[in-house]
């Protein structure tokens, strides 16, 4: 009959705990799964988990909610200035990330705080300069209404299209058939003549120099 080795008894932990660290493994001859060592390790791990949870909870962002009846005039003004959420996203990276789509949220970890605020600033400046750009574009576009001074060209066969009228787009009764399509100065004089003749035509009641435009 073979003689089986007797199981060894669990040896109590001989080592002492080193501050916040776990019990040294060499203090437990049978490994961390034996008796008191396992309980001590489990207890220390649980304590560390609760300590980390308390630390994370202390760093969690909180939203201070003020009712409309108790807020000050300064708070009310800032709340209405932040009606688009821009100021909130400017001061809170968390709110800015929550406003992004999922791929951009994942990519936001590679973006520094300077780059994030630079992107918000450039977006705002783009919206600010958009009406200015449109104003400049329309102001330059209305310069087509004036014919620039050009030298008089010789009477070649393909020059001086005024020898033929433009009745194919002269209007309802071909009133301004002497004017080309985009020759607005000529049409202004034609419209003034029609108005002096008493012709009540829709669109010609306002002075030509006060139509919409910045010229």
């Amino acid at each position: 009959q073979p003689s089986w080795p007797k199981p060894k008894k669990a040896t109590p932990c001989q080592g002492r705990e080193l501050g916040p660290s776990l019990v040294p493994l060499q203090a437990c001859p049978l490994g961390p799964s034996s008796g008191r060592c396992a309980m001590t390790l489990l207890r220390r791990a649980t304590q560390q988990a609760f300590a980390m949870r308390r630390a994370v909870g202390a760093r969690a962002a909180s939203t201070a909610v003020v009712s409309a009846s108790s807020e000050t005039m300064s708070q009310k003004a800032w709340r209405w200035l932040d009606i688009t959420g821009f100021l909130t996203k400017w001061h809170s990276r968390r709110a800015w990330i929550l406003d992004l789509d999922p791929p951009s949220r994942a990519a936001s970890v590679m973006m520094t705080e300077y780059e994030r605020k630079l992107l918000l600033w450039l977006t705002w400046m783009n919206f600010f300069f958009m009406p200015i750009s449109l104003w400049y574009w329309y102001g330059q576009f209305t310069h087509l209404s004036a014919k620039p001074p050009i030298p008089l060209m010789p009477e070649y066969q393909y020059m001086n299209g005024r020898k033929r009228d433009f009745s194919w787009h002269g209007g309802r009764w071909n009133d301004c058939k002497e004017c080309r399509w985009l020759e607005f100065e000529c049409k202004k004089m034609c419209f003034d003549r029609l108005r002096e003749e008493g012709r009540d035509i829709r669109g010609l009641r306002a002075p030509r120099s006060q139509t919409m435009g910045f010229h």
Side-chain angles (χ1 to χ4, degrees):
Q1 190 176 20
S3 59
W4 299 98
K6 295 181 180 180
K8 296 181 180 180
K9 295 183 179 180
T11 306
C13 298
Q14 302 297 330
R16 57 194 179 94
E17 298 173 359
L18 305 177
S21 62
L22 300 177
V23 177
L25 294 181
Q26 56 268 28
C28 302
L30 300 182
S33 62
S34 62
R36 277 202 225 160
C37 292
M39 295 304 298
T40 305
L41 294 175
L42 182 60
R43 183 169 61 253
R44 294 297 295 168
T46 306
Q47 290 175 357
Q48 285 190 348
F50 277 110
M52 292 178 61
R53 186 173 181 180
R54 285 195 300 269
V56 171
R59 294 195 303 266
S62 61
T63 304
V65 179
V66 180
S67 60
S69 59
S70 61
E71 66 179 358
T72 62
M73 288 301 297
S74 176
Q75 291 173 334
K76 185 185 291 292
W78 281 112
R79 181 165 60 87
W80 280 100
L81 284 175
D82 193 32
I83 192 172
T84 61
F86 178 83
L87 296 178
T88 298
K89 289 182 287 186
W90 176 268
H91 294 287
S92 174
R93 186 183 183 95
R94 180 185 181 189
W96 173 75
I97 291 177
L98 290 176
D99 194 50
L100 299 175
D101 55 290
S104 298
R105 289 184 188 178
S108 63
V109 298
M110 303 297 295
M111 186 178 296
T112 63
E113 187 66 11
Y114 172 77
E115 293 170 341
R116 181 185 76 86
K117 289 193 173 182
L118 180 63
L119 180 63
L120 290 174
W121 173 258
L122 290 178
T123 303
W124 186 84
M125 293 302 291
N126 187 20
F127 282 111
F128 175 76
F129 278 106
M130 187 178 298
I132 300 177
S133 302
L134 292 176
W135 181 80
Y136 273 110
W137 168 81
Y138 194 80
Q140 294 292 329
F141 191 78
T142 51
H143 289 175
L144 296 176
S145 302
K147 186 178 180 180
I150 57 176
L152 183 63
M153 300 298 293
E155 288 290 339
Y156 295 126
Q157 59 181 356
Y158 50 85
M159 298 297 295
N160 194 7
R162 289 187 176 86
K163 292 183 294 185
R164 297 174 296 275
D165 63 7
F166 303 94
S167 58
W168 57 280
H169 58 68
R172 189 165 39 167
W173 297 291
N174 294 327
D175 300 313
C176 302
K177 59 184 179 180
E178 70 276 7
C179 302
R180 289 176 290 182
W181 179 44
L182 291 178
E183 200 170 19
F184 295 140
E185 291 295 329
C186 176
K187 289 187 177 182
K188 288 178 185 179
M189 294 186 290
C190 177
F191 294 159
D192 292 339
R193 186 182 71 250
L194 295 178
R195 190 166 52 253
E196 292 173 357
E197 293 176 358
R199 303 274 295 276
D200 187 16
I201 300 177
R202 180 181 179 183
L204 301 184
R205 302 187 185 96
R208 295 297 96 194
S209 60
Q210 298 182 17
T211 53
M212 182 178 179
F214 305 96
H215 54 283

